[in-house]
Amino acid sequence: MRTVLSRLKAAYPVAECALHHESPFQLLAATILSAQCTDARVNQTTPALFARFPDAPALATADVKEVETLVQSCGFFRSKAKNLVGMATALVERHGGEVPRRLEDLVTLPGVGRKTANVVLGVCFGIAEGVVVDTHVGRISRRLAFTTESDAVKAERDLCELLPRSRWVSFSHRLILHGRSVCDARKPRCGECVLRSVCPRVGVGGTGEE
DNA sequence: ATCCCGAGGG
DNA sequence: CCCTCTGGAT
């Protein structure tokens, strides 16, 4: 594990969130939009959205149809638009229009699950409630045999036991970067992988996830 | 054709 | 546990 962390750090020195935002509210909205969608696409979408609805009070009173049009290209646009307005409404009604700092509060917001909540807590507030387990973190953690769980919550429990808390946030960011650039789902580029020597699946064939 | 920095619902 | 929502990228 120590080897993995140091090599990831060397390969991806900057472990920052790629979603453009100017406030916790905007990161929360951007992360909701990022489901099954690239960051680049989200970053193309949010400027117009935030120009029109810069904060929770504004978005809470928005017309859902207008929001649908603004977020259309991110996919799942009907549910995302409804969740964005519902999320903003809940912030206004229950949290004074601000983003709460507790995981248990965040996950009750429409469209906000554990993954989104952990991203916001880690990036905006520096709080590591858990490890962000998205599709990349889950896939690579299974390939490296850090977990055998396909369920994100169970995989997160394994990773939290394996990693010091101080590394939880940066570990997720770096695995996500690694997943996009090298260890992708379809055709991982093992020849360029800095984790090659510690990866059980190198030279074995198969995905390591069977 | 298959996957993507998910979440909600049955 | 499964299904659905959806456009975009490869």
Side-chain angles (χ1 to χ4, degrees):
Chain A
M1 177 56 77
R2 228 180 291 281
T3 306
V4 170
L5 292 178
S6 65
R7 288 190 189 171
L8 283 174
K9 185 173 183 178
Y12 310 101
V14 183
E16 286 179 354
C17 181
L19 294 170
H20 300 164
H21 61 282
E22 293 175 355
S23 65
F25 162 77
Q26 292 191 358
L27 179 63
L28 184 55
T31 308
I32 289 173
L33 285 175
S34 77
Q36 304 297 98
C37 175
T38 62
D39 284 359
R41 173 65 51 188
V42 174
N43 287 335
Q44 276 186 294
T45 300
T46 48
L49 179 68
F50 295 152
R52 185 88 176 85
F53 308 111
D55 50 32
L59 188 59
T61 60
D63 172 32
V64 177
K65 286 291 176 190
E66 182 181 357
V67 179
E68 284 183 9
T69 304
L70 286 166
V71 306
Q72 196 269 344
S73 75
C74 291
F76 300 151
F77 65 90
R78 273 182 283 268
S79 55
K80 285 178 180 175
K82 186 170 68 166
N83 285 337
L84 285 172
V85 176
M87 174 274 283
T89 301
L91 290 185
V92 170
E93 288 180 350
R94 305 205 293 264
H95 302 286
E98 298 297 311
V99 175
R101 300 182 177 223
R102 296 192 312 175
L103 185 67
E104 56 202 281
D105 292 329
L106 281 165
V107 295
T108 66
L109 300 170
V112 180
R114 199 175 173 80
K115 183 261 172 183
T116 299
N118 275 326
V119 167
V120 171
L121 286 175
V123 174
C124 293
F125 305 130
I127 300 170
E129 285 286 332
V131 176
V132 174
V133 178
D134 60 24
T135 179
H136 290 309
V137 176
R139 179 183 66 251
I140 299 174
S141 295
R142 286 189 293 278
R143 286 178 175 169
L144 291 171
F146 290 161
T147 182
T148 58
E149 302 289 353
S150 53
D151 179 85
V153 175
K154 294 177 183 171
E156 180 178 347
R157 178 165 23 78
D158 289 343
L159 291 173
C160 287
E161 288 176 11
L162 238 38
L163 290 159
R165 180 176 287 256
S166 61
R167 304 297 195 105
W168 286 358
V169 175
S170 61
F171 175 80
S172 297
H173 278 306
R174 289 185 173 121
L175 274 206
I176 288 161
L177 292 172
H178 189 59
R180 286 195 308 200
S181 59
V182 178
C183 195
D184 61 85
R186 300 184 184 187
K187 196 181 164 198
R189 310 168 72 170
C190 302
E192 312 174 13
C193 182
V194 296
L195 304 179
R196 221 176 127 68
S197 67
V198 294
C199 183
R201 64 156 262 138
V202 171
V204 174
T207 64
E209 299 181 57
E210 285 84 47

